[in-house]
Amino acid sequence: DLGKISALAKGVRKITSSRSAALEPGTHTKLLLSRSHETFIVSQAQVMNAFSRAKETLAGAKQVMQVLEIIDAVMVEEEQQDVFNDVIHILHAINEKHGARRVVTQTLTAMLQRLGFQDMRDTPYATITEYVEFIAEKKMKSYPYLTVKSPQT
């Protein structure tokens, strides 16, 4: 309910940590957070869905990481923006592999419009990644996966 936040997870790098798997990127996790001054601290973590089929292959892992990088680039810390259900929907689509590219592209395009950005089909950008790079004013590091327009020849 807080939107995008940063939290400190003490001890999760230890091999005996029970929270490390729950804090992997692309994992739907229920967290119990405590607040110390201005910092959130992860007290408990429970995996709701690991989306493990999506991460079985290099291609699937790349897709998950690119989507997460895009979401991270357009979200503002502690500003409540209703995109959580969109992210879960996208991760389910990638995990199930049934028309994932179409679902991911449509969901991200609609999400960007709801966040107040121009419909990317009305921009000169061929991919969502290019458009988000323009919005965020920084280069995306993930593998190019999402193409909305076909290049004109």
Side-chain angles (χ1 to χ4, degrees):
D1 291 345
L2 298 172
K4 174 184 165 182
I5 62 165
S6 294
L8 182 61
K10 295 182 178 182
V12 292
R13 289 190 179 173
K14 292 180 184 174
I15 197 137
T16 57
S17 174
S18 61
R19 294 175 291 163
S20 60
L23 299 174
E24 286 291 316
T27 301
H28 179 192
T29 304
K30 184 177 183 177
L31 297 173
L32 178 62
L33 301 171
S34 57
R35 194 167 201 156
S36 175
H37 304 287
E38 295 297 316
T39 306
F40 287 103
I41 298 173
V42 177
S43 301
Q44 294 178 14
Q46 177 186 2
V47 174
M48 305 304 284
N49 190 336
F51 300 105
S52 54
R53 280 185 288 188
K55 302 175 210 169
E56 285 176 345
T57 65
L58 181 58
K62 285 178 178 180
Q63 292 168 6
V64 169
M65 295 311 289
Q66 184 183 24
V67 167
L68 295 177
E69 184 179 18
I70 288 170
I71 301 296
D72 184 50
V74 298
M75 295 293 294
V76 178
E77 285 251 350
E78 295 189 29
E79 184 177 306
Q80 190 171 358
Q81 298 167 321
D82 191 24
V83 299
F84 179 77
N85 290 333
D86 290 335
V87 175
I88 296 300
H89 179 66
I90 288 169
L91 292 175
H92 275 292
I94 295 171
N95 198 51
E96 299 303 320
K97 297 180 172 83
H98 297 296
R101 185 180 301 265
R102 182 182 49 75
V103 170
V104 172
T105 302
Q106 288 175 349
T107 306
L108 282 175
T109 301
M111 183 193 74
L112 288 170
Q113 284 183 278
R114 268 197 336 277
L115 291 173
F117 298 107
Q118 180 180 3
D119 184 341
M120 79 154 287
R121 292 169 289 208
D122 297 333
T123 70
Y125 303 101
T127 67
I128 291 175
T129 303
E130 289 175 3
Y131 186 43
V132 170
E133 286 176 342
F134 168 74
I135 292 168
E137 298 177 344
K138 69 176 186 177
K139 186 99 170 113
M140 297 286 109
K141 297 175 185 172
S142 58
Y143 176 78
Y145 161 64
L146 301 169
T147 304
V148 175
K149 298 179 190 175
S150 55
Q152 296 183 9
T153 54

